[in-house]
Amino acid sequence: MSEEEILIYSYNYLMSGARGRKYNLQFIAINNYFNKKENYPKLEDYNLDYDDFIKKYESFCVRDFVYKKDYYSTREMYLISPSHYLYYTFNVFKYFYGNQERLNFSKSNIKVFYSGLLSFSDSNIYINSNYSNSYNKFQSEKLSFVGGRALVIDIQDFFKNISTKTLIEKLFEYNRSSECEKSINNLDNFFKVNNFGSLPQLHYSISSSVLSQFYLISFTEEMNNILVDEECKAVRFVDDMVISLPKNKRKKKMNEVLNKLTYYLWKDRLNLNSSKTKFLETTEYEKLVTLLEPSYSDEISSNYVSNKIIDDKVDWLLKNQAQNLIEFFDKLRKCFLSYSVDLEEYHNYINEYIAIDGDHATKVINHLIFGKKWHSLDKEVLIKLVEDNTYVFFNPMQFTTFFLLVIKHLKLLGYYDPSILDNFINELKNKNALTFREGVITIQYFLQMKLSDKELITKMEKINKKYVEFLIEFYNV
């Protein structure tokens, strides 16, 4: 490939990924920006050194409003101007095109998957840019370990602990192409200008995903040597690992293996996540992997599939015209009235109504929302699900989406009461200042309803002015 062909490949990869993510702000921005003819990428621009590139294309980077699964901790996820997102992608692609042997992260005894797939020999960009495809392969490998014991391990705060300084050093160390040195320097400046001391988490970024696995090259090699010696097999998706244990492998021996892995991670300034490191007996592991998380190409999918156990849980929530779901929401409403957003109580109710054996709540809620079985509920029940919406404050991303989807469905059925949404929005407007949690709710409203509100925009400015500038520039609020 010529440099121009690599740029167009990077662009096509990016736009292919954007195709199925119409409710993701980063990709809405990318589509809005590159759908303008004048913004189609030109090699003479994207081949500039980063110092010159930012003179022509303003650097715009802001932290996004995203929670972790506990809905208390915030995730370090960023939004970045579309031109810089592509510039980052282009330079990563250039590096790996010149060092293609580095793209095979798997070894004899460990298969490695990451979000998406970068392959210059495979022209099917649509499949490669679909996160679900690589994740499903990972899930399939996990299923192949059923029938034996397993060791499940996870790297703590993975992206946050990948030093960009060390990453750049590794890129130079493993580089076999003098032509790629310019790309490394551009990436170095990209990280520095945007204040990325750790590997940036950008929405669905193939670049960060690939670089994360590149960072683990030496660890993967050492881990593979251990697996060969111990006659074990393993599979990894980004930082989530499963080691299949032979029947004769004693726990003492695997603790020794863990100790070695901890050391090799330490050399890369990483640590195991002790809370997610588990030895699982045969039946325990089988139960874990048969609760595989469903995947879907977008926040709304007509091809949403789920595991039977998760499906049965959703059926239980919706039986007798959503009796259990309404009871769950009612308890959240009473909790909100007495204690506001009490996350301890929230998780107690989650364990009582949503979770399966104390886990998998996110999977159940996702299937509740996107499985669309709630479409069959009577209109009176649907109205009841949105008349009191205080439950959205406990889980502002998932429950706000559910609330708004029910409203949109009622509108399609001809039973839409505008006052329900108006009351919801007015509650936000009447607050002296929005909290981070209310900011997440507001953003979900903008994205799901494709609407904006000047008064809410003004309130959002008080939380993060630069975020609002991003909305105005790339979302046209």
Side-chain angles (χ1 to χ4, degrees):
M1 283 185 177
S2 65
E3 287 192 325
E4 184 162 7
E5 287 172 325
I6 296 173
L7 175 61
I8 299 307
Y9 184 81
S10 305
Y11 170 76
N12 288 337
Y13 195 109
L14 187 61
M15 297 306 289
S16 178
R19 188 188 309 173
R21 298 181 178 119
K22 59 183 179 179
Y23 294 96
N24 179 280
L25 181 56
Q26 179 67 74
F27 282 90
I28 291 172
I30 285 169
N31 269 320
N32 287 346
Y33 180 81
F34 285 113
N35 281 337
K36 296 177 181 177
K37 188 175 180 180
E38 64 269 24
N39 292 331
Y40 188 81
K42 298 182 283 290
L43 181 63
E44 60 264 31
D45 291 345
Y46 284 82
N47 216 16
L48 292 169
D49 290 340
Y50 194 61
D51 289 338
D52 294 322
F53 185 79
I54 59 178
K55 294 174 185 175
K56 191 161 188 176
Y57 298 90
E58 182 184 0
S59 175
F60 206 125
C61 182
V62 61
R63 193 170 175 185
D64 201 0
F65 287 81
V66 181
Y67 275 109
K68 292 184 179 180
K69 288 184 179 181
D70 61 5
Y71 290 97
Y72 186 77
S73 311
T74 56
R75 190 177 297 281
E76 203 158 314
M77 185 76 74
Y78 291 87
L79 297 166
I80 193 165
S81 49
S83 57
H84 288 252
Y85 193 112
L86 177 59
Y87 186 90
Y88 177 44
T89 305
F90 174 50
N91 278 278
V92 169
F93 279 27
K94 275 204 300 181
Y95 177 86
F96 283 105
Y97 186 76
N99 297 277
Q100 291 190 47
E101 71 280 5
R102 303 296 181 200
L103 275 173
N104 183 12
F105 302 113
S106 297
K107 301 293 178 184
S108 61
N109 285 41
I110 178 170
K111 291 186 178 180
V112 176
F113 301 96
Y114 52 91
S115 302
L117 176 66
L118 177 55
S119 172
F120 296 102
S121 60
D122 185 348
S123 60
N124 199 330
I125 292 177
Y126 179 72
I127 291 177
N128 292 348
S129 64
N130 190 337
Y131 156 85
S132 299
N133 290 325
S134 56
Y135 187 71
N136 288 340
K137 289 177 183 178
F138 168 66
Q139 300 281 44
S140 179
E141 288 296 326
K142 285 168 68 176
L143 278 171
S144 71
F145 293 165
V146 168
R149 296 176 303 144
L151 174 60
V152 177
I153 56 181
D154 178 83
I155 301 175
Q156 188 171 37
D157 295 328
F158 182 45
F159 279 73
K160 190 174 181 179
N161 286 320
I162 293 179
S163 160
T164 51
K165 181 176 182 295
T166 305
L167 174 62
I168 292 298
E169 291 171 357
K170 286 177 177 281
L171 288 169
F172 276 117
E173 178 185 351
Y174 288 98
N175 181 36
R176 292 184 178 176
S177 171
S178 59
E179 296 176 2
C180 293
E181 290 188 9
K182 179 182 176 181
S183 289
I184 302 174
N185 288 324
N186 286 335
L187 290 171
D188 190 22
N189 283 336
F190 172 82
F191 294 143
K192 288 175 179 175
V193 168
N194 293 290
N195 297 313
F196 290 135
S198 57
L199 185 61
Q201 293 188 63
L202 307 178
H203 289 272
Y204 299 100
S205 171
I206 180 65
S207 304
S208 288
S209 189
V210 169
L211 288 174
S212 75
Q213 297 314 295
F214 174 84
Y215 188 86
L216 291 176
I217 280 181
S218 58
F219 168 77
T220 306
E221 187 68 48
E222 296 290 358
M223 182 175 178
N224 189 68
N225 292 337
I226 294 171
L227 294 172
V228 170
D229 291 341
E230 299 298 333
E231 299 180 331
C232 295
K233 296 285 186 178
V235 61
R236 183 174 80 225
F237 182 81
V238 189
D239 62 334
D240 182 9
M241 291 170 268
V242 178
I243 300 175
S244 179
L245 306 179
K247 291 181 180 179
N248 63 345
K249 197 64 63 179
R250 294 165 56 200
K251 190 173 181 180
K252 178 181 178 181
K253 172 58 72 173
M254 293 317 297
N255 276 325
E256 292 172 357
V257 167
L258 272 178
N259 190 44
K260 291 178 182 178
L261 292 178
T262 299
Y263 167 66
Y264 292 124
L265 283 174
W266 172 82
K267 290 175 70 175
D268 279 332
R269 298 177 174 83
L270 299 171
N271 293 288
L272 286 179
N273 188 337
S274 58
S275 66
K276 293 185 179 181
T277 298
K278 301 175 183 177
F279 290 98
L280 299 177
E281 296 297 334
T282 303
T283 54
E284 291 176 309
Y285 180 70
E286 184 173 1
K287 192 170 186 179
L288 173 72
V289 296
T290 52
L291 280 166
L292 297 178
E293 185 166 8
S295 59
Y296 44 93
S297 61
D298 196 4
E299 289 85 341
I300 302 175
S301 171
S302 58
N303 299 315
Y304 193 89
V305 295
S306 179
N307 171 273
K308 186 179 185 302
I309 299 174
I310 296 173
D311 203 46
D312 288 346
K313 188 70 173 183
V314 171
D315 286 342
W316 177 82
L317 286 167
L318 296 178
K319 75 175 184 177
N320 299 328
Q321 292 298 316
Q323 176 183 337
N324 293 310
L325 180 62
I326 289 171
E327 190 175 290
F328 168 65
F329 284 158
D330 191 50
K331 287 190 176 182
L332 292 183
R333 179 184 63 81
K334 291 176 181 176
C335 176
F336 188 83
L337 289 173
S338 299
Y339 309 111
S340 188
V341 181
D342 187 323
L343 289 174
E344 183 177 355
E345 282 296 293
Y346 169 68
H347 288 296
N348 287 338
Y349 294 138
I350 282 288
N351 287 331
E352 182 180 354
Y353 288 91
I354 307 295
I356 300 171
D357 295 332
D359 204 352
H360 313 294
T362 299
K363 302 171 189 177
V364 172
I365 296 171
N366 275 340
H367 189 49
L368 168 68
I369 298 170
F370 304 116
K372 299 181 181 179
K373 288 189 175 185
W374 53 267
H375 280 201
S376 64
L377 296 172
D378 291 347
K379 66 167 184 170
E380 292 81 10
V381 177
L382 292 172
I383 291 170
K384 191 171 184 178
L385 287 172
V386 294
E387 277 182 329
D388 189 303
N389 48 58
T390 51
Y391 57 85
V392 305
F393 292 95
F394 291 88
N395 183 333
M397 293 179 69
Q398 289 179 300
F399 287 164
T400 303
T401 298
F402 178 68
F403 167 73
L404 294 172
L405 288 180
V406 174
I407 283 181
K408 288 198 281 189
H409 185 62
L410 282 167
K411 190 173 183 179
L412 285 173
L413 295 176
Y415 301 123
Y416 177 60
D417 180 356
S419 68
I420 295 175
L421 187 58
D422 289 344
N423 291 339
F424 175 70
I425 298 305
N426 286 333
E427 283 182 23
L428 295 172
K429 289 181 180 180
N430 290 335
K431 294 182 179 294
N432 292 328
L434 297 180
T435 64
F436 181 92
R437 186 171 296 273
E438 290 152 358
V440 173
I441 292 170
T442 302
I443 293 304
Q444 292 304 309
Y445 164 71
F446 288 158
L447 298 181
Q448 288 291 336
M449 304 305 286
K450 303 296 182 185
L451 298 169
S452 64
D453 186 288
K454 289 184 178 179
E455 193 172 339
L456 282 177
I457 288 292
T458 301
K459 286 186 177 291
M460 286 289 295
E461 281 185 318
K462 294 178 181 178
I463 305 177
N464 191 326
K465 186 177 180 180
K466 196 168 183 180
Y467 190 94
V468 171
E469 289 173 0
F470 187 95
L471 285 171
I472 293 170
E473 180 72 21
F474 300 111
Y475 187 51
N476 303 320
V477 294

